[in-house]
Amino acid sequence: MPEVDFHIVSLTGSGREPVVWQLPPNVRRHTSVPTWGPRPGRARPPYGRARRRFTDAHERLLLAFLDPGSGCDFGAALDELTLLARDGVLTAALRTESALRSLMWIWTMPHLATAAARPTVHDALTATDLLEHALRPLATRIPEDGVAHAVSSGLATLPALAARRLDGVPFLLTEHGIYLRERYLGYRGGAQRWPVKAFMLGFYRELNSLGYRTADLITPCNRYNRRWEERGGADPGRIRTVYNGVDPAAFPHAGPEPAVPTLSWCGRIDPIKDLETLIRAYAEVRAEIPETRLRLFGPVPPGGEAYRTRLEKLAAELGVADGLTFEGRVTEVWRAYAAGHVVMLSSISEGFPYSLIEAMSCGRATVSTDVGGVREAVGDTGLVVPPREPEKMAAAALTLLRDPGRRRALGEAARQRVVDRFTLRRSIDAFRTIYRELAGLPEVYEPTLETVADWTLELRDPWYAAVATEGAGR
């Protein structure tokens, strides 16, 4: 969208992470907001009236998600904390003894479940520290003459919520993976005690719902996400599905298959991708077809080194380390898909995964887990299996490895499905229209040849034809 100026706000770990993308010229500014690292703002906590403002807002925020029956307004309390964050005093205020006392007082109310868990001062220190880091994005200002577009729910909505509620900036929320669901999955194996987990999940739950209720428009990338959003309090009339899209020219047909039976995977090496299940499935495939290889393409994000080591140990324990390779980041991503007979996806949480529609665009058959919008993306052009069931994943992979004709037919159908439904141009056209709509600008629309082709495809469908005829009064 060269006609749109973008100001990007990145929520990062330490702020020292390198920018790995070549930013286009219409990205006018890029701001990194470290959620860890040095404490932002002033070193001294607020005093006098500012301290009373903080204590009141802090306690109302805690009551809103720890004691939902209290009647406290989470959004109003968050607005007040936003003003303190903009003044540079929120971080210091959250690290005071009075902040800890407030939490301990609320946590130990006899009617709350947390009281029976006997939270400790160490629990309170841990929870308050996590909350302080989570709230750091509140200090970020969004320009008031544009649209605030959050590309995730949760923490990424904090600057957009502040801009919408305090400055009247239109707020667009796009959701790929379900942020709240992924927090629940992540905390399952967390080291914190139960009161701390309940604290943070309560905060994320209220923040998630506030984002759904406040956004002027929500654009999930699949119908699965839409159901979560409606259950979370979003107005169905403010939800508009916009599918992720790829450029079929950038992900061309992969061509001949490799000489050795190969399973390919592409993504980041991360627990949410559940590569343990994939490796276990690979071990079962190897037992049937010993020459099969598994090639894993993608980077290990900072902090993920221990997870990769765990995967390597698992492969060694299963006796398949000799056939498994970690290929690292690949610049021409289509080559990762071309490297396999079958492209695998083993995630336990996804939105509408790019890796899947990219592989489909390359004409490769896929085996993927039934999470998020996966089934919506694949249709009948690939095999979908339950998550965390390596036996079923292995059976699906073996089915395709043993049947070249079916494998090729599914690959061809998959590429055609992407061309028909999930192109980058269609996605960009949708967001261009939405940006102008939220900014209050008149719609300027020149349909591309591809869009005209899309209309033609839709009107061939009897349901679309019936709706079009009825709407035209004919």
Side-chain angles (χ1 to χ4, degrees), residues 147-148 150 157 160-161 164 169-173 210-211 214-217 438:
V147 173
T157 65
L161 277 167
R164 178 69 183 89
V169 177
F171 171 21
L172 170 64
L173 172 57
L210 181 64
T214 304
D216 294 281
L217 188 65
L438 292 179

Side-chain angles (χ1 to χ4, degrees), residues 267-271 298-307 329:
R268 70 182 187 278
I269 308 297
D270 187 278
V300 178
E305 295 79 10
Y307 182 63
R329 187 186 297 275

Side-chain angles (χ1 to χ4, degrees), residues 48 410 417 422:
L410 288 175
R417 184 173 176 84
F422 308 130

Side-chain angles (χ1 to χ4, degrees), residues 108-400:
T108 54
M109 288 180 171
H111 66 284
L112 296 184
T114 47
R118 299 180 180 274
T120 65
V121 173
H122 183 272
D123 292 333
L125 284 165
T126 302
T128 301
D129 184 55
L130 290 172
L131 182 65
E132 185 273 313
H133 288 289
L135 292 178
R136 288 187 182 187
L138 282 178
T140 305
R141 299 295 293 265
I142 301 291
E144 297 181 22
D145 58 348
V147 173
H149 185 180
V151 296
S152 166
S153 56
L155 300 188
T157 65
L158 286 171
L161 277 167
R164 178 69 183 89
R165 292 171 63 90
L166 299 178
D167 306 318
V169 177
F171 171 21
L172 170 64
L173 172 57
T174 295
E175 196 162 32
H176 296 273
I178 298 296
Y179 185 90
L180 180 60
R181 180 175 183 270
E182 292 177 0
R183 301 288 76 71
Y184 275 101
L185 290 170
Y187 273 100
R188 282 178 62 179
Q192 300 92 348
R193 280 178 18 95
W194 180 80
V196 177
K197 294 181 181 181
F199 176 93
M200 289 308 299
L201 290 173
F203 167 74
Y204 286 127
R205 188 168 54 249
E206 285 300 316
L207 178 60
N208 213 59
S209 293
L210 181 64
Y212 288 161
R213 295 193 306 270
T214 304
D216 294 281
L217 188 65
I218 302 173
T219 54
C221 59
N222 57 68
R223 290 192 296 269
Y224 172 86
N225 286 17
R226 182 188 182 105
R227 293 195 293 272
W228 271 83
E229 290 153 2
E230 290 180 0
R231 285 197 295 266
D235 178 355
R238 291 187 288 106
I239 303 177
R240 190 180 308 174
T241 301
V242 178
Y243 289 115
N244 293 340
V246 300
D247 181 357
F251 293 91
H253 199 291
E257 296 176 334
V260 178
T262 304
L263 304 178
S264 176
W265 175 92
C266 187
R268 70 182 187 278
I269 308 297
D270 187 278
I272 206 77
K273 304 301 182 181
D274 192 17
L275 293 171
E276 293 101 329
T277 288
L278 178 55
I279 291 173
R280 293 182 188 280
Y282 170 57
E284 296 195 24
V285 171
R286 273 279 296 269
E288 298 290 328
I289 308 177
E291 64 271 26
T292 306
R293 296 183 61 197
L294 173 60
R295 301 181 67 180
L296 305 177
F297 294 86
V300 178
E305 295 79 10
Y307 182 63
R308 171 171 168 166
T309 300
R310 198 162 86 220
L311 297 175
E312 292 172 332
K313 288 181 178 178
L314 176 61
E317 290 168 6
L318 295 173
V320 296
D322 59 322
L324 183 156
T325 52
F326 290 87
E327 310 278 347
R329 187 186 297 275
V330 58
T331 53
E332 294 180 298
V333 181
W334 68 270
R335 294 187 182 277
Y337 308 120
H341 289 74
V342 180
V343 176
M344 311 294 288
L345 185 141
S346 53
S347 304
I348 56 174
S349 181
E350 287 284 355
F352 196 82
Y354 277 103
S355 62
L356 188 57
I357 54 176
E358 288 169 355
M360 291 166 62
S361 180
C362 290
R364 285 298 193 245
T366 59
V367 172
S368 45
T369 45
D370 192 5
V371 294
V374 164
R375 191 174 290 275
E376 216 171 318
V378 172
D380 58 0
T381 70
L383 303 187
V384 180
V385 298
R388 289 184 166 141
E389 294 196 24
E391 299 85 2
K392 292 184 178 179
M393 177 169 284
L398 284 166
T399 296
L400 294 182

